[in-house]
Amino acid sequence: MATMCLNGARKGRLLDIACGDGGFLSIMRDAGWEVAGIEPDPLAAKFAEQAHSIRVIADTLPKAQLADQSVDAVTLSHVIEHAADPIGLLRECRRILRPGGKVIVVTPNLAGHGHRDFRDSWVHLDPPRHFYLFSPATLRNCCEQAGLRVELLRTSTRTAAWVWAASDTIRQKGSFNRDQDFMWRRRIEGMSLLLREEVSRRIPNNDQAGEELVLIAGSENSTTRGDENSRADSPRNRVAGEEEVRLASKPLAVSSR
């Protein structure tokens, strides 16, 4: 996950959408990729360029007007849930993707144990910043509507301890502050959610429990690579559906990160 599932992959041109401070791109450049970023926050874009000497476009992807088939990999880590038009964003990713390239999406999982346990106190609701949240089925559907072919769809439990601590704090007092509330005791307590999700993920054909969705897709005419467990039609990746949720405008519990 530290390399957005691109470790060992064929190197090429990598574009990170909403690249923030550029730390991820710096890691990937050291791993042999030719990197660039898109970051709509001009201060963050400037910092990334100055701190890491990386080309960053201070704008959104549609407005950047990148050339067709110009990159080999596009990464979106906790980005698509902020997009007012997620399918349009994925279509733009497909347009700039070279044949055989990959789009990697990581986003909160609406079907995971965290949302089931905490409901309107789940930290990943995060209004008003998150417009859409996805189950495995709806994220797959969005990618297919955008002309992408899903090659891998699974969940990850890496943030489960933090999600438990943040969501339980929100349920108790209505807000969460990472610096003040995420103490070691809360981290240890949060391991209970991580362990439950890890057990659930190992039930055959039931990998829906983790706090994050991890999706790898290529253009429709690209060739799917990998073993049976990484194919889009693998039983492990056939997941039950849940309707896409658009968040209501009323405030629930806003996290401070």
Side-chain angles (χ1 to χ4, degrees):
M1 293 297 293
T3 58
M4 290 290 283
C5 302
L6 290 171
N7 48 313
R10 175 176 59 88
K11 307 299 189 294
R13 300 187 67 185
L14 166 64
L15 179 70
D16 188 33
I17 308 299
C19 66
D21 65 4
F24 167 71
L25 287 175
S26 178
I27 291 171
M28 298 307 288
R29 179 180 58 191
D30 292 344
W33 289 82
E34 179 185 348
V35 301
I38 299 282
E39 173 52 59
D41 183 337
L43 293 179
K46 183 178 180 180
F47 177 88
E49 284 194 324
Q50 293 178 344
H52 303 290
S53 300
I54 291 171
R55 179 189 174 222
V56 178
I57 301 173
D59 215 325
T60 61
L61 179 59
K63 293 181 180 179
Q65 298 182 333
L66 300 180
D68 293 352
Q69 299 186 4
S70 56
V71 299
D72 298 287
V74 183
T75 52
L76 303 96
S77 179
H78 286 259
V79 173
I80 195 170
E81 65 271 20
H82 296 268
D85 180 10
I87 296 174
L89 174 61
L90 291 169
R91 285 195 182 112
E92 187 68 5
C93 292
R94 179 181 60 82
R95 182 186 67 79
I96 65 174
L97 196 67
R98 289 173 177 165
K102 308 294 181 190
V103 175
I104 299 95
V105 178
V106 178
T107 189
N109 178 21
L110 190 66
H113 281 319
H115 182 239
R116 296 179 194 175
D117 290 355
F118 292 101
R119 307 307 297 176
D120 62 355
S121 295
W122 187 46
V123 65
H124 282 311
L125 292 179
D126 203 7
R129 301 193 311 154
H130 288 179
F131 293 153
Y132 290 93
L133 293 167
F134 304 88
S135 69
T138 53
L139 184 60
R140 177 189 293 275
N141 183 268
C142 287
C143 283
E144 291 173 348
Q145 288 192 52
L148 292 166
R149 181 171 61 182
V150 177
E151 299 180 7
L152 173 71
L153 179 57
R154 66 174 180 86
T155 69
S156 167
T157 64
R158 65 171 180 165
T159 63
W162 175 81
V163 167
W164 185 93
S167 301
D168 190 63
T169 303
I170 290 170
R171 183 165 60 185
Q172 291 184 33
K173 68 178 191 179
S175 64
F176 172 75
N177 183 287
R178 181 188 292 270
D179 295 330
Q180 298 175 9
D181 298 321
F182 197 31
M183 302 292 101
W184 278 109
R185 178 179 64 84
R186 304 296 282 168
R187 294 172 190 240
I188 295 171
E189 291 171 344
M191 293 297 290
S192 62
L193 177 61
L194 186 150
L195 291 173
R196 280 199 298 124
E197 291 183 347
E198 280 297 328
V199 170
S200 296
R201 287 186 62 240
R202 280 156 175 74
I203 298 174
N205 307 329
N206 191 45
D207 185 7
Q208 299 186 77
E211 286 305 302
E212 294 175 304
L213 295 171
V214 181
L215 179 142
I216 302 176
S219 57
E220 286 182 331
N221 59 354
S222 65
T223 301
T224 303
R225 298 181 176 87
D227 60 21
E228 290 296 328
N229 286 334
S230 66
R231 291 177 183 169
D233 59 353
S234 165
R236 177 176 174 84
N237 291 316
R238 292 195 201 109
V239 290
E242 182 173 336
E243 288 302 312
E244 182 175 303
V245 170
R246 179 163 184 122
L247 296 180
S249 58
K250 68 174 185 177
L252 294 174
V254 180
S255 64
S256 175
R257 302 186 183 181

